[in-house]
Amino acid sequence: MSAGAVEWLAPSSLRDAIALRAERGDEATVIAGGTFLGILMNQGFLSPSALLSLGGVDELRGIEVVEGELRLGATVTHRELERDARVREAWPMLARAFAVVASPRVRNQATVGGVLADADYASDPPAALQALGARAVLRSPAGERIVSIEELVLGYYETCIAPDELLVEVRVPAAPARAVYRKFRSRSREDRPCVAVAAVRDAQRLRVVVGAVAERPQQFPEVCAVADGRDIDTALAKDIGEGYAEQIAAIDDARGSAAYRRRVTAVEVRRAIEELAA
Ligand SMILES: Cc1cc2nc3c(=O)[nH]c(=O)nc-3n(C[C@H](O)[C@H](O)[C@H](O)COP(=O)(O)OP(=O)(O)OC[C@H]3O[C@@H](n4cnc5c(N)ncnc54)[C@H](O)[C@@H]3O)c2cc1C
């Protein structure tokens, strides 16, 4: 291979993809839609000597509903998910969280596995998936393990995916009675979120996950517990929003300061809970 050339590994079965992943480890960078990697490579932050493409692996492409559980292959694109009739009907909040990512051009390429594996804090889908109780299936030649989104995302651009593992599927439990996703952008229509709020109400229990405010999606069950078994009204929604703003870890970045993010969190959490109750 000439200097600077990138080796392109293109398995056509999942078995071969996993074998190659185990054999080459981090020395071959996994590529799915390439929307995240493309930017890193174009800007010179990453210069892989080999790329392991998942594009030819048909087993990773499907959307299925199995006994009420949604199963998303790792290379299902954002666009396929947001347009799938079963997802729109039974998990409309999830369809929305993927539909507000970037532009149709990006969503035609970006994959479900890619957005979780890149673990970019300023993303939409992770908070929505965490609120819905989704789990990721990680596979290596040694077998399979299934982890929650909380376990998967460890920090900035860091996951628990081992160098011999691929994320092969995301499983989303049967949809809750009510679910809402709100994306707050501070700059442009196509921007990443400044604050992302996913709220779920089921069996009189409330779960609220806030993403994009710090390194990982955050939730505070003890703050939500005041809503257990109670009707939600504006005062309760406001209290929970303020409780989140007090507890949340927030960062400063180009989309907003930590103080700004805390104020937006109070408002967006309140609005999400009010929408749930409407
Ligand atoms: C212009 C632009 C705007 C954007 N705006 C938003 C936005 O508003 N909201 C938002 O949430 N996101 C946004 N994004 C991010 C986008 O959603 C991600 O880039 C995309 O989801 C990554 O998916 P991919 O398939 O392209 O991943 P790739 O770029 O192919 O890979 C991403 C990372 O995950 C690893 N990887 C991929 N698949 C697997 C797998 N199956 N197993 C193990 N590792 C894997 C790769 O090695 C790499 O490290 C934006 C991106 C762009 C380019």
Side-chain angles (χ1 to χ4, degrees):
M1 207 169 38
S2 62
V6 179
E7 187 183 2
W8 183 254
L9 303 165
S12 56
S13 71
L14 184 54
R15 195 191 156 112
D16 288 352
I18 287 169
L20 276 167
R21 173 72 166 150
E23 198 182 300
R24 305 292 291 264
D26 281 342
E27 177 235 331
T29 301
V30 176
I31 182 162
T35 58
F36 178 77
L37 285 177
I39 291 178
L40 295 184
M41 289 168 69
N42 288 341
Q43 294 183 344
F45 292 122
L46 189 74
S47 310
S49 56
L51 288 168
L52 170 54
S53 168
L54 302 181
V57 181
D58 284 346
E59 294 109 299
L60 295 177
R61 289 222 172 108
I63 300 182
E64 283 181 81
V65 179
V66 180
E67 292 172 5
E69 182 181 69
L70 178 64
R71 297 193 174 177
L72 303 163
T75 61
V76 167
T77 66
H78 288 33
R79 199 82 172 128
E80 285 165 344
L81 186 152
E82 87 190 57
R83 298 179 81 158
D84 187 274
R86 293 157 299 175
V87 178
R88 291 168 81 108
E89 166 79 26
W91 292 269
M93 179 269 245
L94 193 62
R96 175 166 170 73
F98 277 84
V100 295
V101 169
S103 61
R105 214 168 144 201
V106 172
R107 297 200 300 276
N108 274 328
Q109 285 293 125
T111 64
V112 169
V115 74
L116 289 175
D118 74 15
D120 191 311
Y121 71 97
S123 297
D124 294 282
L129 286 165
Q130 185 166 318
L132 290 169
R135 291 166 309 149
V137 181
L138 308 179
R139 197 177 296 171
S140 74
E144 209 171 76
R145 61 189 178 118
I146 300 181
V147 297
S148 64
I149 304 301
E150 295 93 309
E151 291 164 327
L152 180 75
V153 180
L154 299 179
Y156 290 109
Y157 309 102
E158 196 191 346
T159 67
C160 72
I161 304 172
D164 66 346
E165 282 179 326
L166 286 176
L167 192 164
V168 293
E169 190 175 75
V170 174
R171 296 184 181 168
V172 187
R178 302 294 306 267
V180 166
Y181 180 72
R182 292 184 62 87
K183 171 175 190 167
F184 181 85
R185 304 169 183 90
S186 54
R187 302 187 305 186
S188 77
R189 174 89 185 73
E190 291 190 354
D191 199 8
R192 285 169 174 271
C194 169
V195 176
V197 178
V200 163
R201 178 86 161 156
D202 210 16
Q204 291 291 297
R205 305 207 55 180
L206 175 70
R207 188 183 316 144
V208 178
V209 179
V210 179
V213 168
E215 58 185 331
R216 310 165 67 204
Q218 299 172 71
Q219 62 188 90
F220 303 102
E222 67 287 0
V223 176
C224 291
V226 295
D228 284 356
R230 283 177 60 183
D231 287 341
I232 290 171
D233 57 20
T234 302
L236 189 66
K238 188 165 179 277
D239 283 350
I240 297 171
E242 284 169 2
Y244 264 67
E246 268 169 34
Q247 301 234 9
I248 204 146
I251 57 158
D252 297 308
D253 71 4
R255 294 183 192 86
S257 67
Y260 178 72
R261 278 191 156 92
R262 274 193 287 274
R263 290 186 64 179
V264 173
T265 296
V267 174
E268 286 296 302
V269 167
R270 170 177 61 73
R271 287 179 178 160
I273 296 171
E274 284 175 342
E275 253 185 72
L276 275 183

Coordinates of all heavy atoms in Angstrom, one line a residue, residues 165-241:
E165 N -15.4 -5.2 19.8 CA -16.9 -5.2 19.7 C -17.4 -4.3 18.7 O -16.9 -3.2 18.4 CB -17.5 -4.8 21.1 CG -17.5 -5.9 22.1 CD -18.1 -5.4 23.4 OE1 -17.9 -4.2 23.8 OE2 -18.7 -6.2 24.1
L166 N -18.6 -4.7 18.1 CA -19.4 -3.8 17.3 C -20.7 -3.6 18.0 O -21.3 -4.5 18.6 CB -19.7 -4.4 15.9 CG -18.5 -4.5 14.9 CD1 -18.9 -5.2 13.7 CD2 -18.0 -3.1 14.6
L167 N -21.3 -2.4 17.8 CA -22.6 -2.1 18.2 C -23.5 -2.7 17.1 O -23.3 -2.2 15.9 CB -22.9 -0.6 18.5 CG -24.1 -0.2 19.2 CD1 -24.0 1.2 19.6 CD2 -25.4 -0.3 18.3
V168 N -24.3 -3.7 17.3 CA -25.0 -4.3 16.2 C -26.5 -4.0 16.2 O -27.1 -4.0 15.1 CB -24.9 -5.8 16.2 CG1 -23.4 -6.2 15.9 CG2 -25.3 -6.5 17.5
E169 N -27.1 -3.6 17.3 CA -28.5 -3.4 17.4 C -28.9 -2.5 18.5 O -28.2 -2.5 19.5 CB -29.2 -4.7 17.5 CG -30.7 -4.7 17.3 CD -31.3 -6.1 17.4 OE1 -31.4 -6.7 18.5 OE2 -31.7 -6.7 16.3
V170 N -30.0 -1.8 18.4 CA -30.6 -1.0 19.5 C -32.0 -1.5 19.7 O -32.8 -1.6 18.7 CB -30.6 0.5 19.2 CG1 -31.3 1.3 20.3 CG2 -29.1 1.0 19.0
R171 N -32.3 -1.8 20.9 CA -33.7 -2.3 21.3 C -34.4 -1.3 22.1 O -33.9 -0.9 23.1 CB -33.5 -3.6 22.0 CG -32.9 -4.7 21.2 CD -32.8 -6.0 21.9 NE -32.2 -7.0 21.0 CZ -31.8 -8.2 21.4 NH1 -32.0 -8.6 22.6 NH2 -31.2 -9.0 20.5
V172 N -35.6 -1.0 21.7 CA -36.4 0.0 22.4 C -37.7 -0.7 22.9 O -38.4 -1.3 22.1 CB -36.8 1.1 21.4 CG1 -37.5 2.2 22.2 CG2 -35.6 1.7 20.7
P173 N -37.9 -0.7 24.2 CA -39.1 -1.4 24.8 C -40.4 -0.8 24.2 O -40.4 0.3 23.6 CB -39.0 -1.1 26.3 CG -37.7 -0.6 26.5 CD -37.1 0.0 25.2
A174 N -41.5 -1.5 24.4 CA -42.8 -1.0 24.0 C -43.0 0.4 24.4 O -42.6 0.8 25.6 CB -43.9 -1.9 24.6
A175 N -43.6 1.2 23.6 CA -43.7 2.6 23.9 C -44.5 2.9 25.1 O -45.5 2.3 25.4 CB -44.3 3.4 22.7
P176 N -44.1 4.0 25.9 CA -44.9 4.4 27.0 C -46.1 5.1 26.6 O -46.3 5.4 25.4 CB -43.9 5.4 27.7 CG -43.1 5.9 26.6 CD -42.9 4.8 25.6
A177 N -47.0 5.4 27.6 CA -48.3 6.0 27.2 C -48.1 7.4 26.6 O -48.7 7.7 25.6 CB -49.1 6.1 28.5
R178 N -47.2 8.2 27.1 CA -46.9 9.5 26.6 C -45.4 9.7 26.5 O -44.7 9.4 27.5 CB -47.6 10.6 27.5 CG -49.1 10.5 27.7 CD -49.9 10.7 26.4 NE -49.5 11.9 25.7 CZ -50.2 13.1 25.8 NH1 -51.1 13.2 26.7 NH2 -49.9 14.1 25.1
A179 N -45.0 10.4 25.5 CA -43.6 10.7 25.4 C -43.4 12.0 24.6 O -44.1 12.2 23.6 CB -42.8 9.6 24.8
V180 N -42.4 12.8 25.0 CA -42.2 14.1 24.3 C -40.7 14.3 24.1 O -40.0 14.0 25.0 CB -42.8 15.2 25.2 CG1 -42.3 16.6 24.7 CG2 -44.3 15.2 25.2
Y181 N -40.4 14.9 22.9 CA -39.0 15.3 22.8 C -38.9 16.7 22.3 O -39.6 17.1 21.4 CB -38.3 14.4 21.7 CG -36.8 14.9 21.5 CD1 -35.9 14.6 22.5 CD2 -36.4 15.6 20.4 CE1 -34.6 15.0 22.4 CE2 -35.1 16.1 20.3 CZ -34.2 15.8 21.3 OH -32.9 16.2 21.2
R182 N -38.1 17.5 23.1 CA -38.0 18.9 22.7 C -36.5 19.3 22.5 O -35.7 19.0 23.3 CB -38.5 19.8 23.8 CG -40.0 19.7 24.0 CD -40.5 20.7 25.1 NE -40.2 22.0 24.7 CZ -41.0 22.8 24.0 NH1 -42.2 22.4 23.6 NH2 -40.7 24.1 23.7
K183 N -36.3 19.9 21.3 CA -34.9 20.3 21.0 C -34.8 21.8 21.1 O -35.6 22.5 20.3 CB -34.5 19.8 19.6 CG -33.2 20.3 19.1 CD -32.9 19.7 17.7 CE -31.5 20.0 17.3 NZ -31.0 19.2 16.1
F184 N -33.9 22.3 21.9 CA -33.7 23.8 21.9 C -32.4 24.1 21.2 O -31.3 23.6 21.6 CB -33.7 24.3 23.4 CG -33.5 25.7 23.5 CD1 -34.6 26.6 23.4 CD2 -32.2 26.3 23.6 CE1 -34.4 28.0 23.4 CE2 -32.0 27.7 23.6 CZ -33.1 28.5 23.5
R185 N -32.5 24.9 20.1 CA -31.3 25.3 19.4 C -31.1 26.8 19.7 O -32.1 27.5 19.7 CB -31.6 25.2 17.9 CG -32.0 23.8 17.4 CD -32.4 23.9 15.9 NE -32.9 22.7 15.3 CZ -34.1 22.3 15.4 NH1 -35.1 23.0 16.0 NH2 -34.5 21.2 14.8
S186 N -29.8 27.1 19.8 CA -29.6 28.5 20.2 C -29.0 29.3 19.0 O -28.8 30.5 19.1 CB -28.6 28.6 21.4 OG -27.4 27.8 21.1
R187 N -28.7 28.6 17.9 CA -28.0 29.3 16.8 C -28.8 29.2 15.5 O -29.4 30.2 15.0 CB -26.6 28.8 16.6 CG -25.7 29.0 17.9 CD -24.3 28.6 17.7 NE -24.1 27.3 17.1 CZ -22.9 26.7 17.0 NH1 -21.8 27.4 17.3 NH2 -22.8 25.5 16.5
S188 N -28.8 28.0 14.8 CA -29.5 28.0 13.5 C -30.5 26.8 13.5 O -30.3 25.9 14.3 CB -28.5 27.9 12.4 OG -28.0 26.5 12.4
R189 N -31.3 26.8 12.5 CA -32.4 25.7 12.4 C -31.7 24.3 12.3 O -32.3 23.4 12.7 CB -33.1 26.1 11.1 CG -34.2 25.1 10.6 CD -35.5 25.4 11.2 NE -36.5 24.5 10.9 CZ -36.6 23.2 11.3 NH1 -35.7 22.8 12.2 NH2 -37.6 22.4 11.0
E190 N -30.5 24.3 11.7 CA -29.9 22.9 11.4 C -28.9 22.6 12.5 O -28.2 21.6 12.3 CB -29.3 22.9 10.0 CG -30.3 22.9 8.9 CD -29.7 22.6 7.6 OE1 -28.5 22.5 7.5 OE2 -30.5 22.5 6.6
D191 N -28.8 23.4 13.5 CA -27.7 23.2 14.5 C -28.0 22.0 15.4 O -29.1 21.5 15.5 CB -27.6 24.4 15.4 CG -26.2 24.5 16.1 OD1 -25.4 23.6 15.8 OD2 -26.1 25.4 16.9
R192 N -27.0 21.5 16.1 CA -27.1 20.6 17.1 C -27.8 21.2 18.3 O -27.9 22.4 18.4 CB -25.7 20.1 17.6 CG -25.0 19.2 16.6 CD -23.6 19.0 16.9 NE -22.9 18.0 16.1 CZ -22.9 16.7 16.4 NH1 -23.5 16.2 17.5 NH2 -22.3 15.8 15.6
P193 N -28.4 20.4 19.2 CA -29.1 21.0 20.4 C -28.2 21.7 21.3 O -27.0 21.3 21.6 CB -29.7 19.8 21.0 CG -28.9 18.6 20.6 CD -28.3 18.9 19.3
C194 N -28.7 22.8 21.9 CA -28.1 23.4 23.1 C -28.6 22.7 24.3 O -27.8 22.5 25.3 CB -28.5 24.9 23.1 SG -28.0 25.8 24.5
V195 N -29.9 22.4 24.3 CA -30.5 21.6 25.4 C -31.5 20.7 24.7 O -32.3 21.1 23.9 CB -31.3 22.5 26.4 CG1 -32.0 21.7 27.5 CG2 -30.3 23.5 27.1
A196 N -31.4 19.4 25.1 CA -32.4 18.4 24.5 C -33.1 17.7 25.7 O -32.5 17.3 26.6 CB -31.5 17.3 23.8
V197 N -34.5 17.8 25.6 CA -35.2 17.2 26.7 C -36.2 16.1 26.2 O -36.9 16.3 25.3 CB -36.1 18.3 27.4 CG1 -37.0 17.7 28.5 CG2 -35.2 19.4 28.0
A198 N -36.0 14.9 26.8 CA -36.9 13.8 26.5 C -37.7 13.4 27.8 O -37.1 13.2 28.8 CB -36.1 12.6 26.0
A199 N -39.0 13.4 27.7 CA -39.8 13.2 28.8 C -40.8 12.0 28.5 O -41.4 12.0 27.4 CB -40.6 14.4 29.3
V200 N -41.0 11.2 29.5 CA -41.8 10.0 29.3 C -42.8 9.8 30.5 O -42.3 10.0 31.7 CB -40.9 8.7 29.2 CG1 -41.7 7.5 29.4 CG2 -40.2 8.7 27.8
R201 N -44.0 9.5 30.3 CA -45.0 9.3 31.4 C -45.6 8.0 31.1 O -46.2 7.7 30.1 CB -46.0 10.4 31.4 CG -47.1 10.3 32.4 CD -46.6 10.9 33.7 NE -47.8 11.2 34.6 CZ -47.6 11.4 35.9 NH1 -46.5 11.2 36.5 NH2 -48.7 11.7 36.6
D202 N -45.5 7.1 32.1 CA -46.1 5.8 32.0 C -46.5 5.3 33.4 O -45.7 5.4 34.3 CB -45.1 4.8 31.3 CG -45.8 3.7 30.5 OD1 -47.0 3.9 30.2 OD2 -45.2 2.7 30.2
A203 N -47.6 4.6 33.5 CA -48.1 4.1 34.7 C -47.9 5.1 35.8 O -47.4 4.8 36.9 CB -47.4 2.8 35.1
Q204 N -48.3 6.4 35.5 CA -48.3 7.5 36.5 C -46.9 7.8 37.0 O -46.7 8.4 38.1 CB -49.2 7.2 37.7 CG -50.7 7.2 37.4 CD -51.1 8.6 37.0 OE1 -51.1 9.5 37.9 NE2 -51.6 8.8 35.8
R205 N -45.8 7.3 36.3 CA -44.5 7.7 36.7 C -43.8 8.6 35.6 O -44.2 8.4 34.4 CB -43.6 6.4 36.9 CG -44.3 5.5 37.9 CD -43.3 4.7 38.6 NE -42.2 5.5 39.3 CZ -41.3 4.9 40.0 NH1 -41.2 3.6 40.1 NH2 -40.3 5.6 40.5
L206 N -43.0 9.4 36.0 CA -42.4 10.4 35.1 C -40.9 10.2 35.0 O -40.2 9.9 36.0 CB -42.6 11.8 35.6 CG -42.0 13.0 34.8 CD1 -42.7 13.2 33.5 CD2 -42.1 14.3 35.7
R207 N -40.3 10.2 33.7 CA -38.9 10.1 33.6 C -38.5 11.3 32.6 O -39.1 11.4 31.5 CB -38.5 8.8 33.0 CG -36.9 8.7 33.0 CD -36.4 7.4 32.3 NE -37.2 6.2 32.8 CZ -37.5 5.2 32.0 NH1 -37.1 5.1 30.8 NH2 -38.2 4.2 32.5
V208 N -37.5 12.1 33.0 CA -37.1 13.2 32.2 C -35.6 13.1 32.0 O -34.8 13.0 33.0 CB -37.4 14.5 32.8 CG1 -36.9 15.7 31.9 CG2 -38.9 14.7 33.0
V209 N -35.1 13.0 30.8 CA -33.7 13.0 30.5 C -33.3 14.2 29.7 O -33.9 14.6 28.8 CB -33.3 11.7 29.6 CG1 -31.8 11.7 29.3 CG2 -33.7 10.4 30.4
V210 N -32.2 14.9 30.2 CA -31.7 16.1 29.5 C -30.4 15.8 28.9 O -29.4 15.4 29.6 CB -31.6 17.3 30.5 CG1 -31.1 18.5 29.8 CG2 -33.0 17.5 31.2
G211 N -30.3 16.1 27.6 CA -29.0 15.8 26.9 C -28.4 17.1 26.4 O -29.1 18.2 26.4
A212 N -27.2 17.1 25.9 CA -26.5 18.2 25.2 C -26.0 19.3 26.2 O -25.5 20.3 25.8 CB -27.3 18.8 24.1
V213 N -26.2 19.1 27.5 CA -25.9 20.1 28.5 C -24.5 19.9 29.1 O -23.8 20.8 29.5 CB -27.0 20.2 29.5 CG1 -26.6 21.0 30.7 CG2 -28.3 20.7 28.9
A214 N -24.2 18.6 29.1 CA -22.8 18.2 29.6 C -22.4 16.9 28.9 O -23.1 16.5 27.9 CB -22.8 18.1 31.1
E215 N -21.4 16.2 29.4 CA -20.9 15.1 28.6 C -21.8 14.0 28.4 O -21.6 13.3 27.4 CB -19.6 14.6 29.3 CG -19.8 14.1 30.7 CD -18.5 13.7 31.4 OE1 -17.5 13.3 30.7 OE2 -18.4 13.9 32.6
R216 N -22.8 13.7 29.3 CA -23.7 12.6 29.1 C -25.1 13.1 29.3 O -25.3 14.0 30.1 CB -23.4 11.5 30.1 CG -21.9 11.1 30.2 CD -21.7 10.3 31.4 NE -22.3 9.0 31.4 CZ -22.7 8.3 32.4 NH1 -22.4 8.7 33.6 NH2 -23.2 7.1 32.3
P217 N -26.1 12.3 28.8 CA -27.5 12.7 29.2 C -27.7 12.5 30.7 O -27.1 11.6 31.3 CB -28.3 11.6 28.4 CG -27.4 11.2 27.3 CD -26.0 11.3 27.8
Q218 N -28.5 13.4 31.3 CA -28.7 13.4 32.7 C -30.1 13.2 33.1 O -31.0 13.8 32.4 CB -28.2 14.7 33.3 CG -26.7 14.9 33.1 CD -26.2 16.3 33.5 OE1 -26.2 16.6 34.7 NE2 -26.0 17.2 32.6
Q219 N -30.4 12.5 34.2 CA -31.8 12.3 34.7 C -31.7 12.3 36.2 O -30.7 11.9 36.8 CB -32.4 11.1 34.1 CG -31.8 9.8 34.5 CD -32.5 8.6 33.8 OE1 -32.0 8.2 32.7 NE2 -33.5 8.0 34.3
F220 N -32.8 12.8 36.8 CA -32.9 13.0 38.3 C -34.2 12.4 38.7 O -35.2 13.1 39.0 CB -32.7 14.5 38.7 CG -31.5 15.1 38.1 CD1 -31.5 15.9 37.0 CD2 -30.2 14.8 38.7 CE1 -30.3 16.4 36.5 CE2 -29.1 15.3 38.2 CZ -29.1 16.1 37.1
P221 N -34.2 11.0 39.0 CA -35.4 10.4 39.4 C -36.0 10.9 40.6 O -37.2 11.0 40.8 CB -35.0 8.9 39.6 CG -33.7 8.8 38.8 CD -33.0 10.1 38.8
E222 N -35.1 11.4 41.5 CA -35.7 11.9 42.8 C -36.5 13.2 42.6 O -37.4 13.5 43.3 CB -34.6 12.1 43.9 CG -33.5 13.1 43.6 CD -32.5 12.8 42.5 OE1 -32.6 11.7 41.9 OE2 -31.6 13.6 42.2
V223 N -36.1 14.0 41.6 CA -36.8 15.2 41.3 C -38.2 14.8 40.6 O -39.2 15.4 40.9 CB -36.0 16.1 40.3 CG1 -36.8 17.4 39.9 CG2 -34.7 16.5 41.0
C224 N -38.1 13.8 39.8 CA -39.4 13.4 39.1 C -40.4 12.7 40.0 O -41.6 12.7 39.7 CB -39.0 12.4 37.9 SG -38.2 13.2 36.6
A225 N -39.8 12.2 41.1 CA -40.7 11.3 42.0 C -41.9 12.1 42.5 O -42.9 11.5 42.9 CB -39.8 10.8 43.1
V226 N -41.8 13.4 42.6 CA -42.9 14.2 43.2 C -44.1 14.1 42.3 O -45.3 14.3 42.7 CB -42.6 15.7 43.3 CG1 -41.5 15.9 44.4 CG2 -42.2 16.4 42.0
A227 N -43.9 13.6 41.0 CA -45.1 13.5 40.1 C -45.7 12.1 40.2 O -46.8 11.9 39.5 CB -44.6 13.8 38.7
D228 N -45.1 11.2 40.9 CA -45.6 9.8 41.0 C -47.1 9.8 41.4 O -47.4 10.3 42.5 CB -44.8 8.9 42.0 CG -43.5 8.5 41.4 OD1 -43.2 8.9 40.2 OD2 -42.7 7.9 42.1
G229 N -47.9 9.2 40.6 CA -49.3 9.0 41.0 C -50.1 10.3 41.1 O -51.3 10.3 41.5
R230 N -49.5 11.4 40.7 CA -50.3 12.7 40.8 C -50.6 13.2 39.4 O -49.9 13.0 38.4 CB -49.4 13.8 41.5 CG -49.3 13.6 42.9 CD -48.4 14.6 43.5 NE -48.8 16.0 43.3 CZ -48.1 17.0 43.7 NH1 -46.9 16.8 44.3 NH2 -48.5 18.3 43.5
D231 N -51.7 14.0 39.3 CA -52.0 14.7 38.1 C -50.9 15.8 37.9 O -50.6 16.5 38.9 CB -53.4 15.3 38.1 CG -54.4 14.3 38.0 OD1 -54.1 13.2 37.5 OD2 -55.6 14.5 38.4
I232 N -50.5 16.0 36.7 CA -49.5 17.1 36.5 C -50.2 18.4 36.2 O -51.1 18.5 35.3 CB -48.6 16.7 35.3 CG1 -47.7 15.5 35.7 CG2 -47.7 17.9 34.9 CD1 -46.9 14.9 34.6
D233 N -49.8 19.4 36.9 CA -50.3 20.8 36.6 C -49.1 21.7 36.4 O -47.9 21.3 36.5 CB -51.2 21.3 37.7 CG -50.6 21.3 39.1 OD1 -49.3 21.3 39.1 OD2 -51.3 21.3 40.1
T234 N -49.4 22.9 36.1 CA -48.3 23.9 35.7 C -47.3 24.1 36.9 O -46.1 24.1 36.7 CB -48.9 25.2 35.3 OG1 -49.8 24.9 34.2 CG2 -47.9 26.2 34.9
A235 N -47.9 24.1 38.1 CA -47.0 24.4 39.3 C -46.0 23.2 39.4 O -44.8 23.4 39.7 CB -47.8 24.5 40.5
L236 N -46.5 22.0 39.3 CA -45.7 20.8 39.4 C -44.6 20.8 38.3 O -43.4 20.5 38.6 CB -46.5 19.5 39.4 CG -45.9 18.2 39.7 CD1 -45.4 18.2 41.2 CD2 -46.8 17.0 39.5
A237 N -45.0 21.0 37.1 CA -44.1 21.0 36.0 C -43.0 22.1 36.2 O -41.8 21.8 36.0 CB -44.8 21.3 34.7
K238 N -43.4 23.2 36.8 CA -42.4 24.3 37.0 C -41.4 23.9 38.1 O -40.2 24.1 38.0 CB -43.2 25.6 37.5 CG -42.3 26.8 37.6 CD -43.3 28.0 37.7 CE -42.5 29.3 37.8 NZ -42.1 29.6 39.2
D239 N -41.9 23.2 39.2 CA -41.0 22.8 40.3 C -40.0 21.8 39.7 O -38.8 21.8 40.1 CB -41.9 22.1 41.4 CG -42.6 23.1 42.2 OD1 -42.3 24.3 42.1 OD2 -43.5 22.6 43.0
I240 N -40.5 20.9 38.9 CA -39.6 19.8 38.4 C -38.5 20.5 37.5 O -37.3 20.2 37.6 CB -40.3 18.7 37.7 CG1 -41.2 18.0 38.7 CG2 -39.4 17.7 37.0 CD1 -42.2 17.0 38.1
G241 N -39.0 21.4 36.6 CA -38.0 22.2 35.8 C -37.0 22.9 36.6 O -35.8 22.8 36.3

